[in-house]
Amino acid sequence: MKVFSTSLEFSDSSAPLHMTVGNFDGLHLGHQRLLGQTLSNQNKYGGKTCVYTFSPHPRQFFNPEFEHVYLQDRNLWRQEIEDKWKIDILIEEKFTKEFAQTPATEFLDQYWLERLPLKTLVVGQDFRFGQKRAGDVKQLQAWCDQKGIELFLIPPVEIEGVRVSTTIIRDCLSHGDVYSTEKYLGHPFSIVGEVEKGEQKGRLLGFPTLNIQDDRATLLRRGVYLTWVHFQNQKWPSITNVGIRPTIHTESSVVIEAHVLKGLKESLYGQKMKVEFVSFV
């Protein structure tokens, strides 16, 4: 997968491009529908697939004091869209002051038409673009019709009357509702991180404790969860505590402490492992 920090760097017009656009905070069922349609377009017409997103996240750009935490580690997200979804091109457009002030029509021509050989475009039905989000799908449809680009407007995914979105997933995580989170993601919520040395009290009690620090822990309700620990194609049942641990600095950090119940004997210090959350205890 080729990665670009702006569409202005892109210069390959050898194959038609099938592009989907969004913030892609993670890969929930709504995002998966966008990617699925993009792949379907490629299968129909040939050419290459492209995901167009933004860096930093627009929310963080407009609120610098707010540190945006993605639902999925960004490197793992890139790996997934490349390995699982076979995306050919990723454009992570630099969200700068100049970019944010680009009027809607100028944005479409300057950043897309003049640089990208677009054949099809896939967006959500509520897609907005340009300065102050002034551009809407009606304007986008007119532009695509004029330029000969086939536009696909994807309706939101709903499960039991609930619209799947990053916002609803964040709300579920903050309440410890990892069951609903799994429904909206299409897979269990998990965190991948490097195992750190803790106080090793778990081993004295007969079961090892694996400690991970990761920004995504701040999304979760503090407390105890039933979990699975994954490492090198193996998994073990575990009880995991998400809580606060004071640091040597003035602030505290959110730490994941997974207590493996059985099966794990070797030390995983310094290794990367995955904690998959099943239910809140």
Side-chain angles (χ1 to χ4, degrees), residues 105-243:
T105 51
E106 290 184 22
F107 164 73
L108 294 175
D109 288 340
Q110 180 181 346
Y111 285 88
W112 289 359
L113 183 66
E114 295 177 6
R115 296 289 177 171
L116 307 174
L118 291 177
K119 174 68 175 177
T120 67
L121 183 61
V122 180
V123 299
Q125 286 185 340
D126 58 354
F127 179 69
R128 310 284 299 195
F129 59 95
Q131 186 179 29
K132 296 182 179 180
R133 293 167 50 87
D136 58 16
V137 292
K138 183 178 179 181
Q139 182 178 353
L140 181 62
Q141 182 70 72
W143 180 81
C144 285
D145 290 343
Q146 182 183 18
K147 306 303 180 183
I149 300 167
E150 191 172 357
L151 177 64
F152 293 81
L153 300 176
I154 306 301
V157 174
E158 289 194 1
I159 296 178
E160 298 172 354
V162 177
R163 176 175 175 172
V164 176
S165 68
T166 298
T167 300
I168 192 65
I169 291 172
R170 287 176 179 274
D171 184 64
C172 288
L173 290 173
S174 69
H175 288 87
D177 186 3
V178 291
Y179 172 76
S180 294
T181 299
E182 180 175 349
K183 287 195 302 183
Y184 303 142
L185 285 174
H187 55 79
F189 178 76
S190 61
I191 290 178
V192 177
E194 186 174 301
V195 179
E196 303 175 339
K197 275 203 174 184
E199 297 180 0
Q200 298 182 287
K201 291 180 179 178
R203 291 194 179 275
L204 297 177
L205 298 174
F207 49 86
T209 300
L210 305 173
N211 300 279
I212 294 177
Q213 261 187 277
D214 187 274
D215 289 344
R216 267 144 292 283
T218 61
L219 300 172
L220 285 159
R221 177 182 176 182
R222 309 295 179 264
V224 179
Y225 295 80
L226 294 177
T227 54
W228 288 100
V229 164
H230 294 252
F231 178 72
Q232 292 186 347
N233 299 318
Q234 298 183 73
K235 70 176 185 177
W236 303 276
S238 53
I239 297 288
T240 297
N241 181 65
V242 177

